[in-house]
Amino acid sequence: MARLTKREVDSLRPLPDRDVFAWDGEIRGFGVRVKPTGSKTYFVQYRNADGRTRRLVIGKHGILATDEARDLGRQKLAEVCKGDDPSAERRAARAGMTIADICDWYLKEGRAGRLLGRNRRPIKVTTLNGDAGRIAVHIKPLIGARPIRGFILADVEKFQAEIAAGRSLTRAKKKGRGGRTTGGPGVAGRAVSTLRGLLGHARRHGLIETNPALGVRIVASNRKLRWLNRDELTILGAAMAAAERQGEHPTGLAAIRALLLTGFRRLEMLGMHRAWIRDKEHSICLPETKTGQQVRIVGQAAIDLLMEQPRRDDSPFVFPADWGDGHFIGVVRVLDRICARAGLEGVTPHILRHTFASMAAELGFSELTIAGLLGHASRGVTQRYIHLDRALVLAANRVAADIALLVVPNLSAAQRSAAE
């Protein structure tokens, strides 16, 4: 029997009705198992002091190199020769793990880039930061001390009900956005989604045998239906023009207008590099978004606004920070001041995105076209390549020009003609 090599492991093919095993000819008991799904896992098999056969998973092929897995297997088998039972020790350790332990493991592994999200890429830092907040505010205070052993689906749904009822009011009031957690169905649903996700990662990596949150019914929440109508956009545009004359931050005002003309998410806009703008193609090449890399079509009015922004030789950003090498971050504060001046309530950068979509719908564009303009996750081959459609460029031009009439001062004659 030959020594296992990467080439040999790569060549192994799954069978639909059973596991496939391949054994190493150098270390007795070390091998690789191929599941019907195609997943390949290194392991060691041995007999403990009681003569019982045990199998201990070393790690997944692809994450571990074959030689690395062999070295780890040799170490575990050496422990067996000394009278230890590493498989039993691992099971005992897992049985004693708490929900808080698994949360800590998830954040550590995620920040190290060792956990893959739904797009088969390492989980984003922004996602992990949001999860860390829900872990600290809801999960650890309410169920962190619970052992994972014996934790069942009913416990997950009880946890959700407690958050919805406001049990996890632990976050102190702070300056700026955010504040005290008030519970509610939306907060509860997001916390349970985080819990279900991190337990799913723990199961896939062999930390737990089953995910007790699998199949949980997320409580329904009322979606925010707020957007700005034409009258409110006119009021907002007048307020921005007045604020500009009185010295309001020009970068913040430009960013607000750009959000309205494109429907971009806040950080997609603020983090935009000039090099990503393809003005002749009416598009922005975003290397990273919520749903992965995208080429997003934008209207000519938006392109003009972006290209007019003052350049800074030491910054790649369209909206650079006032100091330092980062991008501008104060758009929320500027928007709050403008809305207070205009008497508009409940307006956030995401409401500006809703407004763009609402205006597109008002102009008669289809849901598929609007989804393409907003960069929603692809639902099929047609939408995946919709950015190539000339009709999408025409739609982006029409929506951006229509909104620009209401919120952008000093439009050119060509821009006004495009909207009228």
Side-chain angles (χ1 to χ4, degrees):
M1 189 179 296
R3 170 190 174 107
L4 275 178
T5 64
K6 179 180 183 300
R7 178 178 295 180
E8 182 179 351
V9 175
D10 286 339
S11 68
L12 294 173
R13 294 293 178 263
L15 294 177
D17 56 346
R18 62 183 176 87
D19 293 348
V20 174
F21 292 87
W23 300 92
D24 186 71
E26 180 180 286
I27 302 176
R28 184 176 180 181
F30 172 68
V32 63
R33 176 176 61 188
V34 184
K35 302 289 287 183
T37 60
S39 173
K40 299 175 182 179
T41 307
Y42 296 105
F43 67 92
V44 290
Q45 185 168 297
Y46 63 91
R47 289 184 183 274
N48 64 10
D50 297 327
R52 295 183 178 179
T53 299
R54 299 292 192 197
R55 188 174 291 159
L56 176 70
V57 172
I58 301 297
K60 292 194 176 216
H61 176 61
I63 296 176
L64 281 178
T66 307
D67 289 340
E68 292 175 326
R70 181 183 291 102
D71 291 340
L72 290 172
R74 183 183 288 111
Q75 294 173 18
K76 295 302 180 183
L77 291 172
E79 294 175 13
V80 173
C81 292
K82 297 175 183 178
D84 296 335
D85 189 348
S87 179
E89 291 168 4
R90 180 178 288 183
R91 286 199 303 273
R94 290 174 183 170
M97 290 188 76
T98 64
I99 302 293
D101 292 332
I102 295 176
C103 290
D104 292 340
W105 169 86
Y106 165 73
L107 293 175
K108 178 182 177 182
E109 294 297 301
R111 295 194 191 284
R114 291 190 286 266
L115 299 180
L116 302 182
R118 288 178 296 178
N119 59 2
R120 305 297 190 271
R121 296 177 182 175
I123 300 173
K124 295 181 181 179
V125 173
T126 51
T127 299
L128 290 168
N129 289 342
D131 290 343
R134 286 182 281 275
I135 287 169
V137 175
H138 306 293
I139 298 176
K140 282 189 174 181
L142 293 179
I143 58 173
R146 292 283 303 272
I148 188 62
R149 186 180 220 176
F151 193 75
I152 61 175
L153 182 61
D155 296 319
V156 178
E157 296 194 340
K158 179 181 178 183
F159 163 68
Q160 179 174 240
E162 289 177 342
I163 298 175
R167 280 284 309 279
S168 50
L169 302 179
T170 58
R171 185 189 299 170
K173 178 65 179 175
K174 62 181 181 180
K175 292 182 179 180
R177 300 184 73 211
R180 183 173 294 277
T181 302
T182 57
V187 173
R190 287 188 290 274
V192 170
S193 293
T194 292
L195 178 65
R196 179 177 59 190
L198 68 89
L199 291 176
H201 285 292
R203 185 197 63 78
R204 281 191 296 275
H205 284 256
L207 212 64
I208 57 178
E209 293 184 2
T210 60
N211 181 352
L214 195 64
V216 64
R217 293 184 176 179
I218 303 295
V219 61
S221 60
N222 295 323
R223 290 190 173 187
K224 293 182 178 180
L225 300 178
R226 176 81 167 103
W227 61 81
L228 300 176
N229 58 35
R230 288 182 177 273
D231 290 340
E232 289 176 315
L233 279 172
T234 301
I235 293 171
L236 180 66
M240 285 194 287
E244 190 168 18
R245 290 191 295 270
Q246 296 175 14
E248 181 57 85
H249 202 300
T251 304
L253 291 171
I256 292 170
R257 291 176 178 130
L259 289 168
L260 281 165
L261 299 187
T262 61
F264 275 34
R265 299 177 180 92
R266 177 174 59 93
L267 291 180
E268 290 173 351
M269 180 59 67
L270 297 182
M272 185 187 302
H273 289 201
R274 285 188 177 275
W276 301 350
I277 303 175
R278 301 174 179 175
D279 54 331
K280 294 182 180 179
E281 300 174 17
H282 293 82
S283 65
I284 311 293
C285 183
L286 299 173
E288 188 64 46
T289 72
K290 188 176 181 180
T291 56
Q293 183 179 5
Q294 288 185 349
V295 176
R296 195 86 59 79
I297 296 297
V298 296
Q300 187 61 50
I303 292 288
D304 292 343
L305 177 64
L306 295 172
M307 298 299 289
E308 289 168 1
Q309 296 312 300
R311 290 178 177 269
R312 240 180 61 184
D313 292 338
D314 61 341
S315 176
F317 296 105
V318 177
F319 301 104
D322 293 331
W323 56 83
D325 56 2
H327 60 71
F328 183 72
I329 61 173
V331 68
V332 173
R333 291 190 292 273
V334 176
L335 181 60
D336 286 346
R337 289 196 293 267
I338 297 299
C339 290
R341 171 193 288 269
L344 299 172
E345 297 182 353
V347 181
T348 66
H350 204 69
I351 297 304
L352 305 184
R353 181 170 164 86
H354 289 179
T355 299
F356 177 90
S358 174
M359 292 292 283
E362 183 181 316
L363 291 170
F365 293 109
S366 69
E367 289 186 11
L368 185 62
T369 298
I370 296 171
L373 293 173
L374 293 175
H376 284 171
S378 298
R379 291 172 294 188
V381 173
T382 302
Q383 189 172 354
R384 189 180 308 160
Y385 295 104
I386 195 169
H387 66 274
L388 301 176
D389 192 342
R390 180 64 184 167
L392 199 64
V393 176
L394 297 175
N397 279 336
R398 183 71 178 87
V399 178
D402 205 56
I403 296 175
L405 275 177
L406 305 175
V407 300
V408 179
N410 304 320
L411 283 179
S412 66
Q415 290 171 332
R416 288 190 174 277
S417 175
E420 294 173 347

